[in-house]
Amino acid sequence: MGTPADRGYDGAGPEAPEGGPFFTLAEVEKRNTAKETWLIIRGHVYDVTRFLGEHPGGEEVLLEQAGRDATESFDDVGHSVDAQEMLKEYHIGEVHPCDLKPDPSKVPNKAPSSESSFWTVWLIPIVGALVLGLMYRFYMMDGRSS
Ligand code: HEM
């Protein structure tokens, strides 16, 4: 079995301490071969290179998921509690927090939507001020005519 000691982590990064290190999705994506096989499960990064030959489900399925988020595939199989426990042995870090949520700068139509929020923010007070101004004007005219 691949214990942290015998899998001999190759020094590409430190052993996984709690809360780090962090890897970007781009860094994980590069490790998508049998030479270096990383995958993501629930925001954690796992180096399963040394597990390829030991995985009871075969190395093919791991290689298919290499370099990407395997959470759905991992859960779909209905892995046992033992398998969930084994994850710890291959844990090398976390997905960088910036990559956990969608990047707002990559959301299309960002400019128009921020423009439209600009108008909803300003249009309501402007229209409100105009209505108040008109009401005041009519009130004053009423006062003068009576
Ligand atoms: C580090 C990640 C993984 C670990 C530690 C792991 C571990 C295991 C273990 C211990 C088993 C034996 C059955 C069990 O105890 O549930 C197993 C079976 C299996 N695993 Fe994984 N697995 C991992 C990732 C994956 C991924 C990403 C897939 C993608 C589809 C996958 C697909 C399978 C399949 C198809 C089986 C065979 C199920 C069967 O014969 O009933 N595993 N895995």
Side-chain angles (χ1 to χ4, degrees):
M1 273 289 141
T3 64
D6 73 23
R7 76 195 161 94
Y9 193 70
D10 67 5
E15 286 290 338
E18 281 295 313
F22 295 101
F23 299 104
T24 62
L25 291 184
E27 282 176 297
V28 178
E29 268 166 29
K30 282 187 237 158
R31 276 62 182 227
N32 63 355
T33 63
K35 269 181 144 189
E36 256 193 318
T37 318
W38 290 13
L39 40 86
I40 299 165
I41 297 173
R42 277 179 274 279
H44 302 290
V45 181
Y46 299 95
D47 179 350
V48 294
T49 317
R50 276 150 213 286
F51 182 55
L52 290 178
E54 297 168 17
H55 182 222
E59 66 171 26
E60 280 303 309
V61 286
L62 295 183
L63 285 169
E64 261 169 40
Q65 300 303 319
R68 48 187 164 119
D69 193 321
T71 311
E72 224 180 292
S73 332
F74 183 84
D75 286 347
D76 282 353
V77 172
H79 280 95
S80 65
V81 177
D82 277 357
Q84 313 267 353
E85 281 292 309
M86 280 171 77
L87 285 176
K88 288 182 199 157
E89 295 177 31
Y90 304 99
H91 183 241
I92 55 163
E94 317 295 329
V95 174
H96 196 283
C98 292
D99 275 346
L100 283 175
K101 44 183 185 268
D103 183 347
S105 68
K106 284 183 190 152
V107 174
N109 301 331
K110 195 207 165 206
S113 83
S114 68
E115 225 170 77
S116 73
S117 71
F118 169 86
W119 281 110
T120 32
V121 165
W122 286 103
L123 213 60
I124 293 166
I126 289 169
V127 170
L130 278 174
V131 170
L132 277 176
L134 283 171
M135 281 170 68
Y136 180 73
R137 213 188 137 123
F138 281 123
Y139 174 79
M140 293 302 279
M141 278 167 69
D142 252 15
R144 245 184 262 161
S145 63
S146 61

